[in-house]
Amino acid sequence: MRAPTIQKRTEQRGGVGESVQRPDGVPKTKGEFAYSSDLWAENMLWGATTRSPHPRARIVSIDTREALATPRVRTVLTHEDVPGRKSYGMEVPDQPVLAWDDVRYQGEAVALVAADHPEAARRAAGRVKIEYEVLEPLVDPETALADGAPALHPSGNVIRHIRIRHGDQEASAEVVVKGDYQVGMQDQAFLGPESGLAIPDGEGGIDLYVSTQWLHIDLDQLAASLDLPPSKVRITLAGVGGAFGAREDLSIQIHCCLLALETGRPVKMMYGREESFFGHVHRHPARLHYEHGAMRDGRLVYVKARIVLDGGAYASSSTAVCANAACFSCGPYNVPNATIDAYAVYTDNPPCGAMRGFGAVQTCFAYESQMDRLAKALDIDPVELRRLNAMDTGATMITGQEVEGPAPVAELLKRVRNAPLPPDGDAMDIRTLPGGVSNTTHGEGVKRGVGYALGFKNIGYSEGFDDFSTARVRLSVVAGEPQVEVHSAASEVGQGVVTVQMQIARTELGVQQVVVLPADTSIGSSGSSSASRQTWMTGGAVKNACEAVRARLLQRAAQRLGKRHGKLTLDGANIVSAGSGSVASISDIVGDDPIEETKEYHHRKTFPLDPRTGQGNAHVAFAFAAHRAVVDVDLDLGLVRVVEMATAQDVGKALNPQAVEGQIEGGIAQGLGLALMEEIQISQGRILNPSFTDYLIPTILDMPPVRADVLELGDPHAPYGLKGVGEPPTISSTPAIVAALRDATGRPLTRVPVRPDDIVGLDGQSG
Amino acid sequence: MRRVSLTVNAVEHEAMVEPRQLLVYFLREQLGLTGTNVGCDTSTCGACTILLNGKSVKSCTVLAVQAEGTEVTTIEALAQDGDLHPLQQAFHETHALQCGYCTPGMIMAALDLITNNEDMDEDEIRTGLEGNLCRCTGYHNIVKAIQQASSEMRSFATK
């Protein structure tokens, strides 16, 4: 398994494979980078949203008079003012732009206000009088699934059911373990809340500047609800303060444009942190029942699972999350027989959708917990059990799909297993102990645990979706030097896709000076910055466009120079022939006639899952990672300190090693958060902790050292052999930490996040 | 409305503000200094960290009127004559940022730490930055950046 070699040319600084510094690093460190929350326009108004306080209610009446009479208020809008499609959604347009009959979750938008001042807008939003007939919310997904449950949507309560029937459905095994697991609702908790600025063009069209993950899916939904042709709606990516899935769905987009078109003035909207918790989807909470059957020697015979994902009030990307949960439900293991039922269900809880790991996170916690349980039942080392069942290239997934690319599961596991263990804690330094400077222990009652987990996930979009990206590359001469301009609609959300576009252009065209233009909808779609796909897809499009530019450049050179030099190639910024060496520079050939090409990149075709059996070649490629967690646990107080995380991950090809490392460390932090602290607490459909005071994310003191081992086993189908990097670190880090906690405590710990109560045995489960 | 006079990034300002106005919004909206970000509104995340009379402060916990007579330093004042401050340079070089939303606050908090203790070990840096959240990086490169900047600033000081 070797990476495809990149054709070696004259050394080009800042190309593919180097830790190139990000071009936005300077403005970001200087405070000059314009986030969507920093935007300002002459004469602009501020928008605010009136939201339902009830998780479920019928709207009896809406009275906007008092809100409209508030000083400095310019307009108040309700569902009656939505000119086009009254609802939106990425996959199922089931979410009202502004609610008209029922509200289905706490925080659902009902009315909008625009005013001269943000506080006037907020005050007026509170003065929209909405009379509700409050109804009992349906908050339990199992109840919503049951026969006779009241239907929350005309289509019923099941958003999607994926049924996988693979192999022998009657297979029996020598050893059987069963378990029930739960995953809490995690928030993406990006640091920059939702915001944007809409500017009407005075001719019925609109320009929107917004932080988002996918400009063109926003465009489609905006045009439909604004009842405008897509050409009248132009969206430009504003600075994005993190995303992690939470910016795939719309937040302020339609609202801000409605207000701007109504008032004829620019309108800015900006959520605070509390509103942000109601303004985007979250990670699906899950309940998972698993049964693993194995032979005495540890070989897996079958897996049966029933997975219930709480989709909340609206579909968002639940259909795809459900498919992922099902497809990856058995882990990167050879499982000859599988019986899987995964459901995504409507409830009156907050809507759930995309978050880093996307369905694979929930099932990974369950199947890895099961592998440890099975290891215990078989009295086999948990690492050995995993090695014995590890997938490799050529393995058949439970969907019947063959894993074609590198699948170095056993190798990744070996690497984390062989990584040196961290030294014992220093009882003299309380900062190194659970509880830290709270001074809760000086080492007494503290026990160390070590746990392992493996995870995998698809890269890119699946199930027959024609996923593609578009890029335009222009080669010109500026002040005597060649320059490349790259344009795409790929959202830079912090991951570094602008940097890799520059690197690819440098490598392909040998030109040092590369400018990446702002992402906007004046070019074709780049798809979403999600599913660990953007470097692959937009990287592929930029590479294709560069190759087309290079071909035209060489063609032009051949015409210009005649046939005497034979075949011409590009070496650095020089055009060379085998016989004569350098025959011209790029600048000589381009002159004042730039060469420009726009190209798409499509990944190879995928296919739907058979609705009865869940069989099909639904995925393009897979990414794998292994994690080892070392924890210290205070057994008396249930406090935890993660001492170290070791990981090995196959990234195919690290286009920017420093950025890869950043993705791995940042992803592990989010996995640690889910393992130990991050949960949106819901009671009767209401969020109890919509703030960073009560929704905890890992601090700099929570984050342990990370020992990362990056493998580069090129994927044969990907540009440069690269695989996606962003999601695997978040997938198996969570179960590894919980496995380590079980190792230290001996307790079952079947729910994440693990609470101190669970560790000390107040969770009602026997140890 | 109340009159407030203060020095921001070495420039004296006098302005009329509402008594309830937070310093961060005064800086962002009245002075246009949008480098200081707002992440949480509850003084948890530290994105809005600035220096008030040389000490790092979360500017969402300070009223503009409380800043009367003070000297405020924001991220915009750090680069001199187009040269990045060693902390800015180090954050850039060590990839200590991804989305960058926490970065100005991190740098301002780190500046206060470095000023008070040029020779911090990793634990001291971590303890000092516990009030600044980053959601992207996992923090390791932030620690590296501060170590790099701190050693550069020390060697500069001894020259």
Side-chain angles (χ1 to χ4, degrees):
Chain A
M1 283 185 292
R2 289 193 50 213
T5 50
I6 298 160
Q7 204 181 345
K8 191 76 187 161
R9 303 196 185 92
T10 298
E11 185 108 341
Q12 183 57 51
R13 279 188 302 116
V16 164
E18 287 180 48
S19 289
V20 174
Q21 287 167 20
R22 43 189 315 140
D24 60 14
V26 170
K28 281 177 174 174
T29 57
K30 290 173 85 175
E32 289 174 355
F33 185 79
Y35 293 96
S36 51
S37 47
D38 298 335
L39 303 176
W40 185 90
E42 194 72 50
N43 208 24
M44 81 180 185
L45 302 173
W46 294 78
T49 313
T50 305
R51 296 179 181 276
S52 165
H54 309 294
R56 188 173 182 202
R58 189 149 298 140
I59 296 173
V60 177
S61 64
I62 305 173
D63 181 351
T64 61
R65 285 171 298 178
E66 194 187 334
L68 259 175
T70 304
R72 309 176 76 173
V73 167
R74 300 291 159 168
T75 193
V76 181
L77 304 180
T78 67
H79 63 91
E80 292 177 353
D81 304 298
V82 179
R85 195 173 67 183
K86 304 254 182 204
S87 57
Y88 68 95
M90 285 189 294
E91 292 168 2
V92 185
D94 62 351
Q95 181 156 3
V97 174
L98 294 166
W100 63 86
D101 53 356
D102 291 345
V103 289
R104 296 179 181 83
Y105 74 101
Q106 181 203 19
E108 180 157 355
V110 184
L112 301 168
V113 175
D116 292 348
H117 191 276
E119 283 169 25
R122 280 197 287 273
R123 192 175 307 125
R127 290 179 181 170
V128 176
K129 293 279 176 283
I130 304 161
E131 192 187 332
Y132 294 100
E133 180 193 341
V134 178
L135 302 170
E136 185 70 25
L138 182 49
V139 296
D140 177 48
E142 287 288 2
T143 308
L145 257 182
D147 287 341
L152 297 174
H153 286 267
S155 58
N157 292 343
V158 178
I159 307 172
R160 196 172 187 191
H161 170 203
I162 300 277
R163 196 181 131 93
I164 294 177
R165 299 290 181 271
H166 181 71
D168 178 5
Q169 295 301 296
E170 308 299 326
S172 63
E174 292 171 352
V175 178
V176 173
V177 293
K178 297 180 184 180
D180 286 283
Y181 304 94
Q182 284 186 45
V183 177
M185 186 186 287
Q186 190 178 18
D187 189 62
Q188 299 85 349
F190 48 53
L191 223 53
E194 294 86 344
S195 52
L197 175 68
I199 305 178
D201 65 9
E203 295 170 358
I206 190 115
D207 286 276
L208 176 68
Y209 300 82
V210 68
S211 40
T212 182
Q213 288 177 237
W214 185 355
L215 289 162
H216 284 78
I217 203 165
D218 288 8
L219 174 67
D220 293 346
Q221 295 174 87
L222 268 171
S225 287
L226 299 175
D227 196 25
L228 287 174
S231 60
K232 289 265 192 191
V233 182
R234 296 162 296 267
I235 314 178
T236 303
L237 185 71
V240 181
F244 317 116
R247 295 191 212 267
E248 278 212 307
D249 293 85
L250 299 181
S251 57
I252 60 108
Q253 284 90 329
I254 301 176
H255 295 167
C256 206
C257 290
L258 285 171
L259 291 169
L261 287 166
E262 175 67 23
T263 58
R265 287 171 62 174
V267 174
K268 176 168 176 170
M269 290 187 88
M270 187 164 84
Y271 295 168
R273 179 57 54 185
E274 180 173 349
E275 188 170 19
S276 177
F277 272 95
F278 297 99
H280 63 251
V281 300
H282 314 289
R283 188 189 300 288
H284 290 72
R287 292 181 202 174
L288 313 101
H289 175 77
Y290 268 72
E291 178 179 325
H292 276 59
M295 302 308 283
R296 284 248 163 261
D297 64 5
R299 275 177 300 124
L300 290 170
V301 178
Y302 69 82
V303 175
K304 296 179 179 174
R306 183 174 186 278
I307 298 155
V308 179
L309 301 158
D310 184 351
Y314 296 105
S316 176
S317 49
S318 280
T319 51
V321 170
C322 186
N324 266 16
C327 290
F328 305 104
S329 59
C330 296
Y333 301 113
N334 294 310
V335 176
N337 310 297
T339 311
I340 310 295
D341 287 281
Y343 301 88
V345 185
Y346 284 124
T347 64
D348 287 310
N349 288 321
C352 289
M355 183 177 173
R356 198 174 197 169
F358 202 80
V361 164
Q362 291 90 334
T363 46
C364 187
F365 171 61
Y367 66 69
E368 285 301 82
S369 299
Q370 279 286 99
M371 290 302 276
D372 283 348
R373 195 171 279 206
L374 182 61
K376 202 170 170 184
L378 291 166
D379 197 22
I380 296 180
D381 176 67
V383 174
E384 176 55 21
L385 179 68
R386 287 174 169 84
R387 189 202 59 77
L388 190 65
N389 290 287
M391 253 179 198
D392 201 346
T393 303
T396 303
M397 288 180 53
I398 58 166
T399 53
Q401 180 167 1
E402 185 191 328
V403 177
E404 290 178 40
V409 180
E411 174 68 18
L412 296 170
L413 186 63
K414 189 176 91 186
R415 287 182 181 227
V416 292
R417 173 60 172 263
N418 291 347
L421 281 161
D424 287 340
D426 177 4
M428 298 303 289
D429 184 353
I430 56 168
R431 293 178 302 181
T432 68
L433 295 171
V437 292
S438 304
N439 200 17
T440 46
T441 177
H442 288 198
E444 66 282 4
V446 174
K447 194 161 175 215
R448 177 153 292 191
V450 180
Y452 294 85
L454 291 168
F456 83 138
K457 187 193 173 287
N458 53 337
I459 302 295
Y461 283 27
S462 300
E463 297 187 81
F465 183 80
D466 180 17
D467 197 6
F468 72 98
S469 179
T470 317
R472 181 176 64 80
V473 167
R474 185 174 197 264
L475 175 61
S476 62
V477 178
V478 177
E481 294 296 323
Q483 177 180 300
V484 177
E485 192 177 275
V486 181
H487 188 202
S488 77
S491 281
E492 170 62 69
V493 297
Q495 84 280 40
V497 73
V498 167
T499 322
V500 298
Q501 289 178 77
M502 292 177 73
Q503 292 179 255
I504 290 169
R506 286 197 186 116
T507 291
E508 295 303 321
L509 291 172
V511 171
Q512 186 61 34
Q513 184 61 31
V514 180
V515 179
V516 178
L517 299 184
D520 61 30
T521 52
S522 70
I523 186 167
S525 179
S526 283
S528 181
S529 287
S530 66
S532 303
R533 67 177 280 291
Q534 200 59 287
T535 298
W536 180 325
M537 300 301 295
T538 294
V542 172
K543 185 167 184 277
N544 282 353
C546 286
E547 285 167 356
V549 165
R550 190 171 64 219
R552 276 185 52 199
L553 174 75
L554 295 175
Q555 197 181 16
R556 193 189 283 181
Q559 281 166 358
R560 205 68 67 76
L561 302 169
K563 288 188 177 162
R564 63 198 146 100
H565 296 301
K567 186 176 158 47
L568 299 174
T569 56
L570 190 61
D571 181 6
N574 293 312
I575 291 153
V576 296
S577 84
S580 326
S582 178
V583 293
S585 71
I586 288 181
S587 300
D588 296 337
I589 301 301
V590 173
D592 54 8
D593 185 10
I595 300 174
E596 180 175 312
E597 287 285 346
T598 301
K599 290 287 171 196
E600 287 180 357
Y601 177 90
H602 293 248
H603 65 52
R604 64 196 176 123
K605 196 168 160 52
T606 63
F607 299 89
L609 295 167
D610 182 283
R612 289 174 305 108
T613 62
Q615 302 298 290
N617 291 338
H619 307 292
V620 182
F622 308 98
F624 301 87
H627 286 88
R628 181 190 70 195
V630 178
V631 301
D632 281 342
V633 189
D634 183 329
L635 299 174
D636 299 322
L637 295 174
L639 299 176
V640 177
R641 180 182 146 83
V642 182
V643 177
E644 188 206 69
M645 294 295 293
T647 183
Q649 182 175 338
D650 173 23
V651 303
K653 164 76 186 170
L655 263 61
N656 186 320
Q658 202 179 34
V660 165
E661 183 195 321
Q663 287 294 309
I664 289 174
E665 291 168 355
I668 286 174
Q670 293 182 6
L672 183 152
L674 179 60
L676 295 174
M677 63 187 82
E678 289 187 37
E679 183 175 10
I680 295 182
Q681 308 273 342
I682 309 274
S683 173
Q684 284 303 299
R686 290 170 202 278
I687 298 182
L688 303 179
N689 56 342
S691 80
F692 278 179
T693 312
D694 297 313
Y695 182 90
L696 303 182
I697 66 173
T699 72
I700 198 167
L701 287 176
D702 295 313
M703 189 59 195
V706 172
R707 185 186 287 281
D709 195 351
V710 174
L711 275 73
E712 297 183 277
L713 307 176
D715 186 291
H717 298 288
Y720 307 108
L722 75 89
K723 283 185 172 185
V725 181
E727 291 172 293
T730 306
I731 296 171
S732 40
S733 47
T734 304
I737 291 169
V738 181
L741 293 174
R742 286 191 202 108
D743 181 44
T745 65
R747 302 202 53 78
L749 304 178
T750 55
R751 184 186 190 284
V752 284
V754 176
R755 297 158 293 202
D757 294 17
D758 306 333
I759 291 172
V760 299
L762 297 173
D763 59 355
Q765 295 193 6
S766 55
Chain B
M1 299 288 263
R2 290 279 192 85
R3 181 174 302 281
V4 60
S5 50
L6 70 170
T7 307
V8 179
N9 299 339
V11 179
E12 285 177 28
H13 291 273
E14 212 175 86
M16 297 300 288
V17 299
E18 288 197 50
R20 61 179 174 159
Q21 185 167 41
L22 296 171
L23 180 58
V24 66
Y25 289 110
F26 173 75
L27 295 170
R28 287 178 56 84
E29 285 164 20
Q30 268 174 268
L31 302 188
L33 295 170
T34 52
T36 304
N37 292 323
V38 180
C40 72
D41 314 306
T42 50
S43 305
T44 319
C45 79
C48 64
T49 306
I50 57 153
L51 299 187
L52 193 70
N53 289 336
K55 282 186 65 171
S56 72
V57 158
K58 292 178 177 176
S59 61
C60 76
T61 28
V62 181
L63 295 166
V65 292
Q66 288 176 290
E68 170 66 34
T70 61
E71 268 189 46
V72 170
T73 310
T74 70
I75 188 73
E76 284 91 348
L78 260 58
Q80 295 288 324
D81 306 323
D83 292 334
L84 294 180
H85 184 277
L87 271 166
Q88 293 172 314
Q89 189 67 37
F91 268 69
H92 180 43
E93 284 175 8
T94 61
H95 194 62
L97 61 93
Q98 288 176 33
C99 90
Y101 202 81
C102 73
T103 307
M106 283 283 179
I107 289 179
M108 298 313 287
L111 181 60
D112 183 12
L113 290 178
I114 289 186
T115 310
N116 287 305
N117 181 359
E118 284 185 341
D119 198 14
M120 283 179 292
D121 64 20
E122 176 169 348
D123 286 335
E124 287 170 316
I125 293 172
R126 286 181 180 267
T127 305
L129 286 178
E130 198 198 357
N132 289 73
L133 298 176
C134 171
R135 189 56 161 169
C136 296
T137 66
Y139 300 105
H140 291 303
N141 288 343
I142 291 174
V143 175
K144 279 185 215 160
I146 294 167
Q147 286 169 326
Q148 177 180 321
S150 154
S151 95
E152 256 169 53
M153 287 165 76
R154 269 202 313 276
S155 70
F156 184 76
T158 54
K159 267 178 197 165

